[in-house]
Amino acid sequence: MKKQFKLDEIDCANCARKMEDAIRKIDGVEDVQVSFMKLTLEADDAEFDEVLNRVVEFTADAEPDCEIIL
């Protein structure tokens, strides 16, 4: 499954790249793309919600000002 989510408060391209590289390492993530305005996440259909929760938790820790709008 592949879904896009709006990102709020990501400040720079370097932060987006670092976040993308780190999210890529989360178990279950098949592909991810992060830009100033959106996050595109791809994961197995059966595990998508669990993977998304891990991505949201990671983002809250790594970039506290950035929010994934679900």
Side-chain angles (χ1 to χ4, degrees):
M1 177 181 301
K2 185 176 191 177
K3 288 188 177 183
Q4 288 186 347
F5 302 93
K6 183 178 177 184
L7 289 177
D8 188 34
E9 297 291 329
I10 188 140
D11 295 351
C12 67
N14 189 45
C15 295
R17 184 188 54 78
K18 286 181 180 180
M19 193 164 79
E20 182 178 292
D21 290 345
I23 291 172
R24 216 177 277 289
K25 296 175 184 175
I26 295 174
D27 288 340
V29 172
E30 294 175 2
D31 193 26
V32 65
Q33 295 158 347
V34 178
S35 71
F36 287 116
M37 300 298 292
K38 69 181 176 182
L39 173 130
T40 305
L41 178 65
E42 187 171 351
D44 183 78
D45 291 358
E47 299 177 1
F48 191 87
D49 291 338
E50 183 179 328
V51 172
L52 178 59
N53 286 337
R54 287 193 293 253
V55 169
V56 169
E57 287 175 13
F58 166 79
T59 302
D61 289 339
E63 291 288 334
D65 294 335
C66 180
E67 181 182 359
I68 299 173
I69 310 297
L70 302 178

